[in-house]
Amino acid sequence: MDADFDLIVLGAGSGGLAAAKRAVRHGARVAIAEGDRVGGTCVIRGCVPKKLLVYGAQARHQLQDAPSYGLHVEAVRSDVSELLERVRSEVDRLNLRHRQMLSEAGVELLQGWGRFTAPDRIGLSATPGGPIERELGAARILIAVGGQPIRPSIPGAEHTWLSDDMFLQETYPDQVVVVGAGFIACEFACILRGLGVSVTQVVRGSRLLRGFDHELADAVLTGMQDSGIQVLFDRTVHAVDRVSPDDPSAGLTVELSDGRRLPCGGVLMATGRRPRLEGLGLEIAGVAVDRGRVLVDADQATSVPHIHAVGDVTDRINLTPVAIDEGRAYADSVFGGRPRQVNHDLVATAVFSDPELASVGLSEQAAIERFGEEAVTVHRARFRSMSRALPASGHRCLLKLVLQREGGRVLGCHMVGEHAAEIIQMAAIAVGMGATKADFDRTMALHPSVSEEFVTMG
């Protein structure tokens, strides 16, 4: 049977959009199947609306600091419901813009939920798992359906929010319990606190932000606690109960493993995500799955040669820029005649908490594990930035370089503080080029700035 397209992409998120548009530029006939809005997790229910809420919380902080600069703002009214509505409106605008860009690029948008009906055939349904309404064939198929948040199996879990739900609320209650220790949990805890909500964060283990440098994670914790967030470690949630089953507005009670009961108006379960595999028909296509993820090689190829996968569905590094680069690399390799593999070894990451954290390269702990304690040296600077001088309050900055002792190569560059993500993005270029401490030292400082501390450390 003749193929309708050279490529059908399942999922119009960051990776799928990048692959589809790049493949068309290389002359391929491309369609992309999406049952939801166009843009994926990042645009619709992730990075973009979250960062807008971060800015909303920061605006409140700036108003609180205004008297320190001789600005006396009277009768400020905070309307969180208006902020949430404006965020949703921006997401709607971006959804329409992404649809327009697909059309302008020459990618056909197949509105519907796609699943394999044969190794080279995709069926579309109006609802997930619903009856097939249209079937199309392709020489190649790219799986880019992303991931989804998960709820723990506890009594009353149905009363809780997932991260997706945070953007759909009309407003936020006065008290919220956030469950989790990762970046989503920490970011939303800080957003809520910044918007005036009383926040308790429940953490199963003894640390926040597993995988990040311990010293930086501790600095974030200190800042969160200073802002009034109560963090409870070494506890789990056993159950969530409605105070009044007949009155949802009456609130919830969270029962912890130590017997403590926390009253609140809402509970966010930020306890993990998993690839969105249900209903894709991967078994029909013969695509191998391991531990709930699609297995791929360095070229994004699955166990079926003409089927590839990119982004969170592979559960490797679940970040938007990684998915985009994987999608473009796939299209360049398969349709552009320019074979390329994505380097997953050096990926900058950020946590938009308050204070903000950003990092590239090895943490101190990872560097010691790889090279040995005697082979690693650390330089750091701690200070309160000039922006906090007049308010005489606020979080302290932490800048940190992890070095290979012999030769001084920078193994990791890390920061907690204002504009951390913007600063580390540029530092990542130097780290990726193999910069040494001597390279940093002979770089002239830009004064007065936060980032100059990276080039003036003793």
Side-chain angles (χ1 to χ4, degrees), residues 85 88 92 169 194 224 233 235 242 279 283 310 327 355 376 378:
E85 180 57 37
R88 286 190 289 268
D92 291 342
Q169 305 305 307
M224 291 172 64
F233 290 104
R235 294 169 175 87
R242 281 208 177 279
E283 66 284 353
V310 299
V376 173
V378 173

Side-chain angles (χ1 to χ4, degrees), residues 11-36:
S14 300
L17 290 171
K21 290 184 286 187
R22 182 64 63 89
V24 166
R25 285 172 53 184
H26 292 312
R29 296 172 301 150
V30 181
I32 189 165
E34 179 56 69
D36 200 345

Side-chain angles (χ1 to χ4, degrees), residues 441-457:
D441 290 344
R442 65 170 160 263
T443 300
M444 190 65 69
L446 197 162
H447 181 76
S449 68
V450 172
S451 56
E452 69 176 299
E453 297 292 334
F454 273 123
V455 299
T456 58
M457 291 181 185

